[in-house]
Amino acid sequence: MKKISIVVLSFLSLLSAVAQEDPSKAQYYIDGYYEMRNGQYILSDIKSRGITFNLPNSWTQGVDNEYDDQIKFVFPDAQTSYERGFNEKFKFWVWQDSQHRWLREKEVNDGSISHVTNKFTCIMLLIDCSRSIGTNFITVKQSAKQFINMLYRTPNHDNIHIGIIGFNTNNNNDGYSPEPLTQENYDKIINYIDNLGLANGTALYKAMDKAIDQIESHINAIEQEDPSFFENTEFESTHIVSFTDGIDNTSRLPGTQNLTADNSWENNPYYIHIVNKLNSVRVKGSLISSHLVVVNNDEIRGFERQYARLANGITSKNDSGVYQYYLVNDFSELGKEFSKIVDALTTRWHDLQLYIPQNRVGRVRWTLGPLEQAPVVKVKKETTKPYRSSFGVIVGNYFGLSSKTFLSKYFALQVDAGLKRRSVECSYGGYQHTHMDNIWEADVNFMFEKSFSMSRIGSWNWFAGIGTSLGLTLSDCFKTGLNTIGGIEYIFDKVPVSLQVDARPGYGIAIDDESFFDWALTFSARWHF
């Protein structure tokens, strides 16, 4: 058995060695086209799947993190349908046109979440207190207190205003009016929940009617007391979160008859009234978002599809277009559903921060969660260098061959060899003379190079460094020298070619120790490999 286990493990290891993650089939991602325009870092053509955020346009501007040469992009109000949320690290990928595939870039900061604390929201929690709940009411109260506790643990809790209505008969009380979720009010709310009791009836619609009115009046009262309140605090949303274990059999609109089998579901006048009210009442220009958690019971069992239609009428759709109606089979599942609602509410106050290496112009993608495996295609190892090595020609007052190799991300070594045309001062036969001469010369330059601008087809780099030269004129006069070098290089993104212009002022020494100003102005074109 042990040998079999070893063979199986070896086989699995072999499989993992010949397969790799495929971001093209990711379920959760953000991608776009990254470039530099007019000195600004721009991410355009932004698309996403399984992740939503609040950008006014399909592009956004990044901020340079000078300490690590990475550009930070912020996606406000980020949410994801991924079950682990943003608790996992993002993976960063760059599209390679020459290889027609995504390549992973690991030297990138992990994505991070920042919590926005100036967002205001008002929530009314509606709790079914009908006698049919029985001993499960202890679980209902614990779940409701868990809901409040999770909201209180958010950094934004002072700007969360919470109210509660416990409903049963048509004469249910006005409940606990919305108040900021401060420490003092938190204790009051928990105490209110503890003191809720059971009675006959399920007056859900009347409770929702009161909740809408209380949210409206609460926001109006805030603005009357402090007209500048929402200038300093960003209004985010209003919500009604309702729990019930059955069908409303109690709510009555004034002047309507008692409910019958024909009007107890979608024909209920009070139900129609709530549907219309949720679709017409706007608070600060936005509709109230309604959530409904229902425990399945004998009234609903067998009629789940019909009840879902009923529930959809009094609930809102989330950002993914799904109704916020949750049917559970047992009271023990209430806490889990309330937690999901809190997560959905509080993630609206998250700003997602993602990073791109400054010189990675082109299409990029961040993925979240596990990815499907794809067969490995052997490719040239991706590094953070602009390219590894190059070879080409150099012209100007220097004609010859040029080679350049990046030793690291920012440092390169360039070697040129050829015929150089310049004035040379030599001593020969006891006479000193200056003339134009051709020099067979080899130059070696060590330089620092960094990108300063990007476009859709390539990137501009500046560089500066020092070098040395050794030469022999056609008249057999030897020379050597030291020089500085500075210039710009344009590196094409889709073809392995770069173009370079540089100037090389320096200090030359002839064989007889006579010194002279040594210089070169060159243009070079090189092929990368």
Side-chain angles (χ1 to χ4, degrees), residues 14-209:
L14 180 62
L15 285 179
S16 64
V18 297
Q20 66 178 10
E21 294 175 317
D22 183 8
S24 65
K25 298 180 180 179
Q27 297 297 309
Y28 309 94
Y29 68 80
I30 298 174
D31 73 10
Y33 191 91
Y34 168 66
E35 61 185 323
M36 192 171 184
R37 298 182 198 164
N38 302 321
Q40 297 179 337
Y41 303 102
I42 301 297
L43 185 69
S44 59
D45 301 327
I46 299 173
K47 301 178 181 64
S48 66
R49 181 179 183 183
I51 301 173
T52 61
F53 39 84
N54 184 22
L55 284 177
N57 304 297
S58 61
W59 63 273
T60 186
Q61 182 177 338
V63 179
D64 186 3
N65 279 352
E66 296 181 358
Y67 63 91
D68 62 3
D69 295 315
Q70 294 189 22
I71 308 304
K72 179 176 72 175
F73 288 91
V74 178
F75 299 86
D77 303 341
Q79 299 182 69
T80 178
S81 55
Y82 180 45
E83 59 183 4
R84 296 196 61 186
F86 294 119
N87 295 320
E88 290 188 3
K89 295 180 180 179
F90 277 84
K91 298 172 184 176
F92 178 72
W93 307 80
V94 180
W95 177 255
Q96 294 294 315
D97 280 324
S98 59
Q99 300 167 10
H100 300 288
R101 66 193 302 271
W102 290 101
L103 290 180
R104 174 80 185 278
E105 172 60 83
K106 296 183 178 180
E107 298 180 16
V108 177
N109 293 339
D110 298 330
S112 61
I113 286 290
S114 61
H115 203 105
V116 183
T117 58
N118 70 330
K119 297 225 175 188
F120 173 93
T121 192
C122 182
I123 303 170
M124 288 297 298
L125 177 61
L126 279 50
I127 304 173
D128 190 343
C129 301
S130 60
R131 203 174 297 279
S132 59
I133 294 175
T135 57
N136 291 309
F137 198 46
I138 296 175
T139 303
V140 172
K141 288 183 177 183
Q142 289 174 343
S143 301
K145 289 190 288 186
Q146 175 185 332
F147 178 84
I148 301 299
N149 187 47
M150 290 182 66
L151 290 172
Y152 181 72
R153 291 202 307 265
T154 65
N156 193 47
H157 67 87
D158 283 348
N159 280 326
I160 300 173
H161 290 216
I162 188 83
I164 300 178
I165 294 177
F167 62 90
N168 36 59
T169 67
N170 199 40
N171 296 317
N172 56 338
N173 59 50
D174 291 332
Y176 187 96
S177 298
E179 289 186 346
L181 192 50
T182 61
Q183 172 65 64
E184 180 182 359
N185 291 334
Y186 171 82
D187 294 335
K188 293 179 181 179
I189 293 169
I190 296 300
N191 185 62
Y192 177 86
I193 294 173
D194 283 332
N195 290 324
L196 288 174
L198 299 176
N200 293 327
T202 305
L204 171 63
Y205 304 146
K206 182 161 187 176
M208 294 184 73
D209 200 5

Side-chain angles (χ1 to χ4, degrees), residues 394 398-403 415-419 440-443:
I394 184 170
Y398 197 126
F399 296 88
L401 301 178
S402 176
S403 174
V415 179
D416 306 307
L419 191 63
W440 291 107
E441 183 170 300
D443 290 3

Side-chain angles (χ1 to χ4, degrees), residues 247-266:
I247 300 170
D248 189 328
N249 55 10
T250 309
S251 299
R252 302 283 191 280
L253 275 177
T256 60
Q257 298 177 351
N258 291 338
L259 297 179
T260 67
D262 294 330
N263 65 5
S264 60
W265 286 66
E266 292 167 280

Side-chain angles (χ1 to χ4, degrees), residues 261-298:
D262 294 330
N263 65 5
S264 60
W265 286 66
E266 292 167 280
N267 294 324
N268 185 329
Y270 218 142
Y271 170 82
I272 297 171
H273 171 72
I274 294 300
V275 171
N276 293 332
K277 198 166 184 176
L278 284 171
N279 285 285
S280 60
V281 173
R282 292 182 176 270
V283 180
K284 301 288 292 179
S286 300
L287 296 174
I288 298 172
S289 178
S290 177
H291 313 247
L292 179 62
V293 182
V294 179
V295 175
N296 206 349
N297 65 7
D298 292 337

